[in-house]
């Protein structure tokens, strides 16, 4: 039954998230920081092979953040693809230059990993 499966999956994800929160409890007070991706945004079109600056808003960053090291992955539909556009940068930098990977044309989004995740708006990647 579709409904039962969806419920079970949702519950399992919730339980997994809960255990992560418990085991990841920091020793010192730290603030979770969720940067908001400002570029690419709705209406952005990138071409395979081009270089672009992904940008995000750092104006609301707290003083002490749990994880200052960021990573950006590519997402398609509801999936996070195993394609890392950038990693090992400081989430307070506010921008990182990336190369548009060699993917099929379509609608994608970026997933920003730092303290907490944030998805960009959907945007288009073209091949020509
Ligand atoms: C990204 O931003 C930096 C700093 O503003 C700039 O020097 C660089 O040319 C930009 N890269 C692209 C691809 O626009
Ligand atoms: C940030 O962390 C330092 C060292 O752990 C601490 O002294 C300071 O009070 C913290 N600041 C805030 C705003 O939490």
């Amino acid at each position: 039954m579709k409904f039962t499966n969806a419920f079970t999956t949702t519950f399992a994800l919730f339980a997994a998230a809960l255990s992560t929160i418990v085991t990841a409890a920091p020793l010192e007070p730290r603030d979770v920081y969720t940067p908001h991706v400002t570029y690419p945004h709705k209406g952005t079109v990138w071409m395979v092979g081009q270089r672009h600056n992904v940008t995000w808003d750092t104006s609301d960053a707290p003083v002490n953040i749990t994880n200052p090291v960021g990573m950006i992955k590519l997402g398609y539909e509801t999936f996070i693809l195993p394609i890392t556009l950038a990693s090992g940068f400081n989430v307070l930098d506010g921008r990182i230059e990336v190369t548009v990977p060699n993917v099929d044309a379509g609608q994608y989004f970026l997933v920003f990993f730092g303290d907490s995740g944030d998805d960009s708006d959907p945007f288009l990647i073209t091949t020509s």
Side-chain angles (χ1 to χ4, degrees):
M1 294 264 296
K2 213 167 185 161
F3 173 77
T4 312
N5 284 342
F7 177 80
T8 310
T9 307
T10 307
F11 182 78
L13 287 175
F14 176 72
L18 201 63
S19 70
T20 306
I21 290 164
V22 172
T23 53
L27 301 173
E28 285 179 27
R30 297 271 156 158
D31 294 311
V32 168
Y33 168 47
T34 307
H36 174 66
V37 176
T38 49
Y39 182 84
H41 48 68
K42 201 167 178 292
T44 298
V45 180
W46 284 359
M47 202 189 296
V48 166
Q50 284 179 337
R51 289 183 70 75
H52 289 284
N53 277 311
V54 174
T55 61
W56 59 93
D57 186 13
T58 59
S59 62
D60 58 350
V63 177
N64 291 325
I65 57 177
T66 318
N67 174 22
V69 182
M71 178 168 67
I72 295 172
K73 282 180 174 273
L74 191 67
Y76 181 72
E77 292 184 344
T78 58
F79 305 102
I80 299 173
L81 301 174
I83 298 175
T84 302
L85 297 187
S87 63
F89 58 87
N90 189 322
V91 297
L92 300 179
D93 285 351
R95 67 154 192 96
I96 185 81
E97 203 174 292
V98 302
T99 300
V100 183
N102 192 7
V103 292
D104 290 340
Q107 181 172 281
Y108 293 84
F109 62 94
L110 299 184
V111 191
F112 192 109
F113 295 91
D115 255 7
S116 176
D118 183 52
D119 293 351
S120 76
D121 289 342
F123 66 98
L124 293 179
I125 293 182
T126 63
T127 51
S128 59

